[in-house]
Amino acid sequence: MKSQASSAKRQAQNPKRFDCLNFRNWNLFEICDLEFRIYRQGFTVVETIISISVLALLAVFIVNGLETFRESSSLDRAVDEALEILREARSKTLGSEQASNYGVHFEAESMTLFRGGSYDSSGPENIVVVLPSLVSISAVNLSTTTANVTFERLSGEAEADGTLTFATTRSSKTRQIQILPAGLFFKL
């Protein structure tokens, strides 16, 4: 009896407070009204600012990660294109296409497949491959004074051996290609 009296007294002091132990005093409509008021309050300005800040921070990390991936894939693509153009020059030379040897000329932003023993920038049969905008050839360390790699007919040997270094323009990522005197080449 005493607990019912104290429960009724508390209910009279605070009509919206519910006694969880006394189920008889619960009014379902008042409970629903109280829950509706709680949900109706919405977000505060501080909560909104914190949420926007967290989203902005996540966006920065995601964009940075995507940019790094883009650079790496551009660098790998440039190295693969260089290997492909070297393979094509060696293949054409070994096949004695047009009874000539072939070579590749390297510049900072492009590679040129040419016919003959020496590079002529105005050659009509030159095939120029432009590197992706994020990549450049940072170093050409060949055994000759020119930036050309030509292949010998019948043997396929390279007249110049050494390394080619490809680098990204924004970061310090590099990849190298090794060219051997036997005319073989591979990524390092």
Side-chain angles (χ1 to χ4, degrees), residues 37-146:
R37 284 189 206 157
I38 291 172
Y39 290 120
R40 200 175 57 185
Q41 289 177 0
F43 295 108
T44 65
V45 174
V46 174
E47 290 172 333
T48 305
I49 289 173
I50 289 172
S51 299
I52 290 172
S53 300
V54 168
L55 288 175
L57 192 61
L58 284 173
V60 166
F61 285 127
I62 290 170
V63 167
N64 189 25
L66 289 175
E67 188 62 31
T68 303
F69 175 74
R70 188 174 143 218
E71 279 184 356
S72 295
S73 64
S74 292
L75 185 60
D76 290 339
R77 188 177 66 206
V79 170
D80 290 342
E81 287 176 353
L83 290 170
E84 183 59 35
I85 199 168
L86 285 166
R87 270 189 217 102
E88 187 175 350
R90 187 167 190 263
S91 176
K92 285 185 174 193
T93 300
L94 285 173
S96 294
E97 192 172 301
Q98 296 182 3
S100 184
N101 59 341
Y102 288 81
V104 180
H105 175 74
F106 295 97
E107 295 178 8
E109 305 298 326
S110 66
M111 305 170 285
T112 306
L113 174 68
F114 63 90
R115 185 172 67 117
S118 62
Y119 172 67
D120 178 15
S121 61
S122 61
E125 295 179 1
N126 290 351
I127 299 173
V128 179
V129 176
V130 178
L131 296 174
S133 62
L134 298 174
V135 180
S136 66
I137 299 176
S138 61
V140 179
N141 299 322
L142 298 175
S143 59
T144 61
T145 57
T146 63

Side-chain angles (χ1 to χ4, degrees), residues 26-40:
W26 280 18
N27 184 343
L28 184 61
F29 295 111
E30 289 179 358
I31 294 173
C32 293
D33 185 43
L34 179 66
E35 288 178 0
F36 181 70
R37 284 189 206 157
I38 291 172
Y39 290 120
R40 200 175 57 185

